[in-house]
Structures are given as C-alpha cells and as structure tokens.
Amino acid sequence: VDNGRIQFDHVRVPRENLLNKYADVAPDGTYTSPIENPNRRFFTMLGTLIRGRVTVGGSAGAAARVALDIATRYALQRRQFAAPDDDTEVLLMDYLVHQRRLLPLIAKSYALQFAQNELVSKTHELQTADDPDPEEQRELESRAAGLKAANTWHATTAIQEAREACGGAGYLAENRLIALKADTDVFTTFEGDNHVLTQLVAKELLTAYADDIKGMSPVEWVRFAANFASERVMKRTAAQTIMQTILDTRQDNEEEGSLFNRGTQVQMFEDREEYMLASVARRLQAKSKEMSAFDAFNSVQDHVLHAATAHIDRIILEAFVAGIDACEDDEAREILGMVCDLYALSVIEGDKAWFVEHRFLSTERAKAVTRGINDRCRRLRPYAEMLVDGFGIPEQLRYAEMMHPENIAE
C-alpha cells in the first residue's frame, strides 16, 4: 500500500499465490531465480512498476491541459481596460503579457504529449515482448522517470499560472482550477520524488547502460562515470534519419532568424546536454581524488540534476520533431512548427544564463531569444482557441462557471 501499511493476523498466503515471474520458492523453501545477479534481479522487478510513473505523468499532463484550456477560453472572452481612443475593452488574450503567460505553457503541453505518446508506445512494445532487450528496458525506466518529473512539475506550474491568469474567478471552486491544483500537487511526490527521479536519469546517462550499474557502490560509480563521458554515443528517441536531416539544415551564425531554424535549436539542446555530461564526469573524477565517493557526488549534485534536465528537454524536443514529421496536414504542420519554436526558445530562455556563461549564446543573440518568443506568441495568438481545441478535452471536462456569458464581466 503506497505510503501506508496493512497488518494481517493469523493469515497464511499459499506458496502457489506468490508472484513468481522472476523468482520462485520451491515446496522445501529453496529460492530460485533465472536472474542470477541479485542487484539486476531487484531492479528488474522494480522495473515492472514503471506503469505507475507513466500513468502519473500522463495524468498530470492531462490536468495541465484542462487548466490551460479553461484559462485560455476565459482570456478569449474576458475584457479588461479600454485601449486609448477606443471605448471597447481589450481581450485578455490580446495583451502580450497574457500571451506570454499561457502560450509557452500550451507549447510545452504539446511537446510533453508527443513525448508521452512515444513513452506509452515504447512501454507497450517492451512489456508485451517475449524477450525484451535489457538495455532498452533500462533506457525506458530512465525516460519514464524523467518524463514523470517533467510532466508533474509542468502541471504544478501550468495550473498555478492558469489560476492566476483568471484572477479572483480562478480561485472559486466552481471554476475547477483550485480542485485541479489540489488533486495534482502531490504528483511531484507520487511514484518517486521528482529530484530523486531526475537523479536516476543522470545516473543512467553517466553509466552508459552498463548491465549491473545500479548495483555499483558509490566508489565504483564515480570511477565508471569519470572514464565514460568521452565515449558516449547520443541515443535519439526520434528516427535517426529525421534528426540528421534537421541537423544538416542548421544555421550556425549570429543571425536572429537562425533561432527559428529547427536544426539550430536541436543542436543547441544536444550541445548543452553533451557539455554538461562531459563536465560533470570530469568534476567527479577530480573530486574523487580529494574526498570520499559520496562527498564527491554530493559536491556536484546540482550539476548532475542540471545535466539530467538538459537530457529530458532534448528527448521532449525530439519527440515534438518526430510528431511534426508524421503530421500530414500542411496547415497543421505550419502551426505545430511555430508551437515547437515557442517550446524550444522557452527552454533556451529558461536556461539563458547557462548558455551565455558557457558561450553558446552571445548577449545579443540571447536578447534575440526573447524577441523570438514574443514573435511566436503574436503569431500564435489567432490560433489560441484552435490550440486548446487540439487538446481534445470533452466539453463536460473543461467547463468552468466563469465562462458562462452571464458571468463574464464587461
């Protein structure tokens, strides 16, 4: 029982009722398992719980979309403050600040859902396979952990922003936003604390999917990680041919327009991840010569989490790229392209200090990121309702009392 306990008194569970896919107990009490390594056996069994993380992440993403749907539709009806020389009050969604509050979150919701769809497909594929590949299983566990953290943190942020974007009305129970917040707040802890799960992602990256790495001691892990970064091969979630074609079109220059180039965006995400992983491995190596393995890891833990976050951002962007590539409608592809720009530039803006500090962005180009986000917000404004329609939320699940015509303040 999650976060609880059940006690039985004088209850005997028959041996035949044991769950014995990976281990068994014979009538004489002998324990056997087809997986000889006890650490690998433990984590193989733990991996069967992956569906919980997939489900919690998916539920959080769905709740975020409901909140953003409500807030966006309200902003398309609610007017506030008249423009100069105009008696008509301005729609909330026509203010750039309001666009910047909601549209990047909508873009991230689209990005996360593409990644979630890939995750669900991969989970089904591996869990229905007769002989799943152990390396792919570990990679899936890492991706499920990372996307669970990304989805639940996104839900917490998006629902709060949606609540604030609706003003006082957003705080009324009848408008559902506080219920969504109350229901999903604990998701950042369910199925694993998000910081711990992010650390799991980093560990998987640093250990290059070695068979028994999860059983290594801190000393062995530090030693392994220190020797590994230079040999790492980028594992892509999207089709290799798609990504290579996109990367071949990148524009490595200081022109503002190149920030809208998908190859440039993907390269920036990849470069950040690779640089962080290599540098954290080097730091672990240096620190391990001065202090204990635990102290060495503890001293770079913030760096480790940052590297894992960069990896999660990259696989989300790749999933978005693959989703656009699979879209057959030209108009939809064009709109999704702008939404993808908004997601990518928002991630870069959120970590702008790192990009500038490590000279991946000049100060002038960093300013162009902000201009690029504003541009995409303005261009996507006419499609705001279409974008939330695209979430496919049933009417009865997105209705909020404040959107009834009688409750819209003039």
Side-chain angles (χ1 to χ4, degrees):
V1 179
D2 195 16
N3 294 321
R5 65 181 63 168
I6 292 178
Q7 291 182 325
F8 295 96
D9 187 21
H10 294 88
V11 175
R12 180 179 176 82
V13 179
R15 183 184 62 82
E16 292 80 4
N17 287 29
L18 289 172
L19 301 178
N20 62 349
K21 184 175 181 179
Y22 300 115
D24 205 357
V25 178
D28 65 357
T30 305
Y31 178 90
T32 58
S33 172
I35 306 173
E36 293 184 8
N37 186 305
N39 292 307
R40 184 174 176 186
R41 186 190 313 142
F42 173 75
F43 283 99
T44 297
M45 293 179 178
L46 204 61
T48 61
L49 304 177
I50 192 174
R51 295 183 191 182
R53 289 174 182 166
V54 174
T55 303
V56 167
S59 298
R65 292 192 297 275
V66 171
L68 291 169
D69 183 291
I70 291 171
T72 300
R73 294 182 192 281
Y74 183 69
L76 290 169
Q77 297 180 49
R78 177 75 162 89
R79 295 179 179 274
Q80 195 164 25
F81 308 121
D85 304 320
D86 192 342
D87 294 334
T88 305
E89 292 190 333
V90 180
L91 280 172
L92 291 182
M93 190 52 82
D94 286 335
Y95 289 107
L96 176 61
V97 169
H98 214 78
Q99 295 166 17
R100 288 211 46 150
R101 295 177 73 179
L102 297 179
L103 292 176
L105 293 171
I106 290 173
K108 188 166 186 177
S109 285
Y110 269 89
L112 283 167
Q113 190 56 41
F114 279 117
Q116 182 73 9
N117 289 346
E118 279 192 359
L119 176 64
V120 170
S121 297
K122 192 66 175 180
T123 302
H124 174 74
E125 176 188 329
L126 288 180
Q127 296 203 338
T128 56
D130 293 331
D131 187 23
D133 180 80
E135 183 175 316
E136 289 192 6
Q137 283 187 303
R138 285 191 294 274
E139 186 180 349
L140 177 67
E141 181 185 348
S142 171
R143 199 192 313 180
L147 289 178
K148 182 269 179 181
N151 266 307
T152 54
W153 269 328
H154 170 63
T156 298
T157 300
I159 295 170
Q160 177 64 23
E161 195 63 60
R163 205 292 297 159
E164 292 183 28
C166 294
Y171 199 67
L172 297 177
E174 65 185 7
N175 293 322
R176 307 190 52 227
L177 293 171
I178 59 168
L180 286 169
K181 184 173 179 62
D183 289 345
T184 62
D185 188 61
V186 75
F187 282 8
T188 57
T189 301
F190 273 175
E191 296 296 333
D193 173 84
N194 281 359
H195 285 88
V196 174
L197 294 184
T198 304
Q199 188 168 298
L200 184 154
V201 174
K203 186 173 183 180
E204 188 67 18
L205 291 170
L206 285 167
T207 51
Y209 315 104
D211 283 348
D212 58 351
I213 194 62
K214 290 185 175 66
M216 282 188 178
S217 69
V219 175
E220 293 170 318
W221 181 24
V222 168
R223 187 179 301 124
F224 184 92
N227 295 325
F228 144 76
S230 61
E231 302 170 2
R232 182 171 181 270
V233 177
M234 178 76 72
K235 286 182 174 286
R236 304 189 191 283
T237 54
Q240 185 70 35
T241 52
I242 298 172
M243 298 310 301
Q244 193 56 54
T245 300
I246 285 173
L247 285 168
D248 288 344
T249 69
R250 67 184 184 275
Q251 299 170 3
D252 298 325
N253 56 53
E254 291 294 308
E255 296 294 328
E256 181 174 337
S258 70
L259 289 171
F260 295 133
N261 177 272
R262 192 74 67 235
T264 299
Q265 295 165 359
V266 170
Q267 190 69 57
M268 290 180 71
F269 276 53
E270 289 190 359
D271 287 346
R272 179 177 62 144
E273 177 185 346
E274 288 292 332
Y275 187 97
M276 283 187 179
L277 282 173
S279 58
V280 76
R282 286 194 299 271
R283 288 185 66 195
L284 279 170
Q285 186 180 42
K287 295 285 186 181
S288 63
K289 297 175 181 177
E290 306 169 1
M291 57 190 75
S292 71
F294 172 79
D295 288 338
F297 174 75
N298 199 38
S299 68
V300 300
Q301 197 170 23
D302 58 333
H303 192 159
V304 167
L305 294 176
H306 200 172
T309 300
H311 170 74
I312 296 165
D313 288 339
R314 193 260 298 174
I315 64 172
I316 292 171
L317 178 61
E318 284 186 357
F320 207 153
V321 167
I324 294 173
D325 183 75
C327 180
E328 298 178 356
D329 184 284
D330 290 340
E331 183 181 5
R333 283 171 65 97
E334 182 180 352
I335 296 171
L336 283 173
M338 290 191 288
V339 176
C340 190
D341 285 340
L342 186 52
Y343 166 70
L345 293 177
S346 295
V347 170
I348 293 169
E349 184 183 52
D351 209 10
K352 191 188 292 186
W354 184 91
F355 281 104
V356 173
E357 286 172 359
H358 293 80
R359 300 183 181 180
F360 283 87
L361 273 179
S362 67
T363 53
E364 283 307 310
R365 204 163 188 227
K367 295 175 184 176
V369 172
T370 301
R371 292 195 295 270
I373 291 173
N374 288 347
D375 175 84
R376 286 303 181 249
C377 283
R378 283 190 290 265
R379 288 176 181 268
L380 287 170
R381 163 62 184 91
Y383 304 106
E385 186 172 10
M386 180 189 294
L387 289 174
V388 292
D389 282 345
F391 288 157
I393 302 168
E395 176 64 33
Q396 64 271 25
L397 296 182
R398 72 186 185 200
Y399 178 77
E401 190 64 28
M402 63 182 164
M403 286 187 284
H404 192 282
E406 294 179 359
N407 295 324
I408 296 291
E410 293 296 336

